[in-house]
Amino acid sequence: MEMPTPNDWTVIAIQGATTLTLSLNNANDGTDTSFRCRARPPPRRSAWSPARCLRERRRVHRGLPQVVRNHNSRLCVDSAESMLLSAVNCWLKCMTLDPYNQTDNPECKSRPDSGLSAITELDPGYITGPLSSVWKEWVKWCIEFGIEANSIIAAPYDWRLSPSKLEERDLYFHKLKLTFETALKLRGGPSLVLAHSLGNNVFRYFLEWLKLEIPPKQYIKWLDEHIHAYFAVGSPFLGATQTVKATLSGETFGLPVSEGTARSMFSSFGSSLWMMPFSKYCRADNKYWKHFSGGTRKDHHIHQCDEQEFRSNYSGWPTNLINIEIPSIRGLEAYPSVSEVAHNNFSSIECGLPTQLSFSAREISDGTFFKAIEDYDPESKRLLHLLEKSYHGDPVLNPLTPWDRPPIKNIFCIYGIDSKTEVGYYFAPSGKPYPDNWIITDVIYEIEGSLFSRSGNLVEGNPGPTSGDETSEHDGSDIQVELNVEHQDEADIVPNMTRSPRVKYITYYEDSESIPGRKTAVWELDKANHRNIVRSPVLMREVWLQMWHDTRPDATLKFVTKAKRGPLRDEDCYWDYGKARCAWPEYCEYRL
């Protein structure tokens, strides 16, 4: 196969949940209902506009030195409040799914937007806040690199659905396969895949689903022809701890809703467990072979854990993810494993007093935790149903298991590191009804090789040499899991994988020898935020330098050299005020 050029490539982006637009539509006629999510205007007793009312509202609530005396101004403030409340309620109605069958509200449905408009800018509004352009810079980089605009393809999906429901309702994976095949026919070359956050889980499921769609002997050939490189950005290889918080107490992500409302909405999503943390030592039976052996689901165990899971603590995580107080010991006898945990952690338990239980990643992903709180949380029964039906019982893959390295030619795992990252929580009953029945009493953070609580106390555990990106936990060990090798701190990540000389803001671990014809790399970006990493200039610079390197037929190295980096775009040129000259005189110049 001839060496591809940038003009031959198609770039396919699979976004994370918080960087993808959903459109609200009328469930009956399919028309856009975004304007329906507004409060009724006030009576025509004064000149009125939404903008004016919102200005009045902001001035009053910011405490500016203004006294609202006249009736018309008060009416504006009240109307703005009513409009905001109505918009929130309408938005929640359109976003929430039936918790058991994942169907839409009868009056309103949401579907992923199409094309690049789904990712370049997230529309501003009463609910979503100011204009967000997480992927806009990424698209600009692609075009400047030489990728034609019509070769930049977004693959939006309904991030509220479980993986199997994506295919059942939207035929998403069939359409994604067709996207790759169409790109090859039109451009004559393979595609580059850049997935972010939950998008990596979606792509992993697609690769497993693909095994059942094409003949086994054609699987590797199909991947080689259609995918040149896969960039896994901020991938939750072992899950994400914030999923625990969103499930138990709610995560608003800055939306103007209460945590309880956010929890209720999040729990209605089939995807609510997709990024739940799991053990790196436990695997599920290979369901791929079940389809050829005539086996049934009952023939296979949900998890098979090796001895390391029981010899070590915390399932390969820095600490227990959940520490929770339950009102009493009532109901523990129904769950022997939970009862054993309680008696191991607390030698004496007084009747009627709260009991604190701790749960590892394995005990969360296998359902032990949800069984333990079933008597105290009305949401647990539904989550257990979802866990069994859509994850443990998924016909293609149990997503709550460690990855194996996909047989793709070039894989680059890219993370932000050294940010203060949540790795564990303490919960207690709040005394309020569902969905506000749990409160967070403490948070465990990992940073700079240490664990400490929200109050600043050091916590015992197994912290890694580096922390994560504020959302996804990463210390390099999760990459070892998918490559099936042991890893020692300060050592090479995989056999023959070497740590390249550190360039400012980024550390490289790269290997091209362990698997013949395959390259694997881990890039760690200092202080890169999980959500905004996709528009990081450091990330985009390295991606395109590596791709430029791959297009050179005379290249002698497998990876691009890590020599001093010069500017790639006009925006990278700047004036060095300390030296009173252009910072890059060998690359840039100023013209009148």
Side-chain angles (χ1 to χ4, degrees):
M1 182 180 295
E2 295 183 0
M3 188 70 67
T5 65
N7 288 333
D8 296 328
W9 278 330
T10 298
V11 182
I12 297 177
I14 308 177
Q15 302 74 32
T18 60
T19 56
L20 180 61
T21 300
L22 293 180
S23 296
L24 310 181
N25 296 304
N26 186 289
N28 297 319
D29 57 18
T31 56
D32 185 3
T33 62
S34 56
F35 292 100
R36 300 175 194 266
C37 296
R38 296 180 178 177
R40 180 178 298 175
R44 290 185 175 275
R45 282 181 281 183
S46 64
W48 178 91
S49 70
R52 177 187 167 193
C53 281
L54 287 179
R55 284 197 301 270
E56 292 285 349
R57 175 182 174 275
R58 284 195 293 267
R59 295 179 70 182
V60 171
H61 283 268
R62 288 175 181 171
L64 297 179
Q66 171 186 337
V67 179
V68 179
R69 294 189 177 91
N70 64 72
H71 173 75
N72 289 340
S73 294
R74 182 69 261 171
L75 180 63
C76 259
V77 174
D78 291 342
S79 298
E81 296 281 9
S82 176
M83 181 174 5
L84 181 63
L85 179 60
S86 178
V88 170
N89 292 336
C90 181
W91 183 80
L92 289 171
K93 179 177 69 175
C94 294
M95 288 295 295
T96 303
L97 299 174
D98 183 282
Y100 283 94
N101 56 27
Q102 299 181 55
T103 56
D104 297 284
N105 186 291
E107 300 178 8
C108 179
K109 68 178 181 181
S110 301
R111 291 295 181 268
D113 207 348
S114 59
L116 290 179
S117 63
I119 65 170
T120 49
E121 292 181 342
L122 304 184
D123 291 339
Y126 302 130
I127 313 302
T128 54
L131 181 71
S132 175
S133 56
V134 174
W135 286 83
K136 187 176 182 179
E137 284 297 313
W138 177 83
V139 172
K140 289 174 59 179
W141 271 88
C142 290
I143 294 174
E144 292 185 16
F145 171 65
I147 305 293
E148 295 186 8
N150 60 2
S151 296
I152 305 172
I153 300 175
Y157 58 95
D158 192 333
W159 42 264
R160 303 170 301 166
L161 300 180
S162 64
S164 59
K165 202 69 175 181
L166 277 175
E167 178 62 20
E168 177 186 331
R169 194 195 73 180
D170 297 341
L171 295 177
Y172 177 78
F173 299 109
H174 271 96
K175 294 176 181 177
L176 185 57
K177 176 175 178 285
L178 184 61
T179 298
F180 281 106
E181 293 172 345
T182 303
L184 178 62
K185 291 180 180 180
L186 293 177
R187 311 304 303 175
S191 298
L192 308 178
V193 177
L194 193 145
H196 176 237
S197 193
L198 180 61
N200 290 282
N201 295 31
V202 173
F203 185 62
R204 177 200 184 186
Y205 192 90
F206 167 72
L207 295 177
E208 294 297 320
W209 171 88
L210 191 64
K211 291 180 181 179
L212 305 177
E213 289 297 311
I214 60 179
K217 293 183 179 180
Q218 299 297 316
Y219 180 66
I220 303 297
K221 180 181 178 182
W222 191 97
L223 294 178
D224 288 343
E225 290 178 347
H226 293 84
I227 303 175
H228 174 75
Y230 164 40
F231 296 90
V233 183
S235 179
F237 282 122
L238 292 177
T241 50
Q242 281 192 332
T243 311
V244 172
K245 179 166 66 173
T247 302
L248 279 184
S249 62
E251 177 65 78
T252 66
F253 296 104
L255 298 175
V257 296
S258 68
E259 290 184 344
T261 300
R263 179 196 181 191
S264 180
M265 179 183 68
F266 180 75
S267 296
S268 76
F269 299 162
S271 62
S272 59
L273 301 180
W274 204 347
M275 290 201 295
M276 194 64 76
F278 53 86
S279 171
K280 69 178 184 179
Y281 304 120
C282 299
R283 293 180 172 270
D285 289 317
N286 193 327
K287 300 199 173 198
Y288 171 74
W289 294 111
K290 180 190 73 173
H291 291 269
F292 298 95
S293 62
T296 63
R297 185 180 301 172
K298 294 181 180 180
D299 297 329
H300 297 263
H301 299 288
I302 295 174
H303 281 93
Q304 294 179 346
C305 302
D306 59 31
E307 294 182 0
Q308 185 69 16
E309 168 66 25
F310 304 102
R311 290 202 308 264
S312 62
N313 296 324
Y314 316 130
S315 299
W317 284 74
T319 185
N320 284 320
L321 281 87
I322 296 178
N323 304 275
I324 190 168
E325 290 183 5
I326 57 176
S328 70
I329 61 172
R330 175 177 57 87
L332 284 181
E333 291 77 9
Y335 309 106
S337 61
V338 178
S339 181
E340 183 180 347
V341 170
H343 289 292
N344 286 341
N345 288 334
F346 299 91
S347 57
S348 62
I349 301 176
E350 299 183 30
C351 276
L353 296 180
T355 302
Q356 181 171 287
L357 302 178
S358 299
F359 296 89
S360 66
R362 173 183 60 84
E363 293 167 320
I364 296 172
S365 62
D366 69 7
T368 299
F369 165 68
F370 296 112
K371 292 177 182 178
I373 65 170
E374 192 171 8
D375 288 339
Y376 314 102
D377 191 280
E379 194 66 34
S380 294
K381 182 176 293 186
R382 191 203 64 78
L383 290 172
L384 282 169
H385 171 81
L386 176 65
L387 184 66
E388 171 58 32
K389 178 182 177 181
S390 299
Y391 292 88
H392 295 168
D394 188 282
V396 174
L397 166 76
N398 180 354
L400 303 180
T401 52
W403 291 45
D404 290 314
R405 185 197 186 281
I408 295 173
K409 290 180 180 178
N410 307 294
I411 296 181
F412 300 82
C413 303
I414 305 169
Y415 286 93
I417 62 168
D418 288 340
S419 293
K420 184 178 177 182
T421 303
E422 298 175 1
V423 295
Y425 304 97
Y426 283 81
F427 295 94
S430 67
K432 299 179 181 179
Y434 174 86
D436 299 301
N437 52 320
W438 301 107
I439 58 172
I440 295 178
T441 59
D442 208 349
V443 180
I444 302 174
Y445 298 97
E446 181 183 38
I447 188 171
E448 297 179 352
S450 300
L451 299 175
F452 61 92
S453 67
R454 186 163 54 187
S455 56
N457 298 320
L458 286 176
V459 177
E460 293 185 1
N462 298 322
T466 60
S467 57
D469 60 6
E470 301 179 5
T471 300
S472 294
E473 166 63 18
H474 166 65
D475 63 3
S477 62
D478 45 4
I479 308 299
Q480 324 324 317
V481 173
E482 63 167 321
L483 296 174
N484 296 316
V485 296
E486 292 296 327
H487 173 244
Q488 302 297 325
D489 292 344
E490 305 300 329
D492 289 347
I493 283 190
V494 299
N496 302 316
M497 179 173 274
T498 57
R499 175 174 178 169
S500 299
R502 183 183 180 87
V503 179
K504 193 175 183 180
Y505 308 126
I506 187 170
T507 306
Y508 309 83
Y509 298 88
E510 297 174 335
D511 166 54
S512 60
E513 300 178 15
S514 297
I515 307 175
R518 304 281 189 250
K519 291 188 294 188
T520 309
V522 179
W523 297 346
E524 297 177 340
L525 278 64
D526 294 351
K527 305 294 183 179
N529 172 269
H530 178 78
R531 184 172 186 265
N532 295 322
I533 189 174
V534 293
R535 60 180 175 186
S536 164
V538 176
L539 166 64
M540 299 311 302
R541 177 194 69 194
E542 297 305 317
V543 167
W544 298 129
L545 283 175
Q546 182 61 49
M547 291 302 97
W548 260 323
H549 179 79
D550 286 353
T551 63
R552 296 179 54 188
D554 59 338
T556 58
L557 301 175
K558 296 295 184 181
F559 295 95
V560 66
T561 178
K562 304 304 183 290
K564 183 178 179 180
R565 296 286 190 258
L568 298 180
R569 308 181 300 166
D570 289 345
E571 291 86 344
D572 299 330
C573 297
Y574 63 95
W575 186 261
D576 187 336
Y577 286 94
K579 298 180 179 179
R581 64 175 177 83
C582 176
W584 301 99
E586 64 271 36
Y587 299 103
C588 308
E589 62 180 8
Y590 283 84
R591 297 177 181 176
L592 296 177

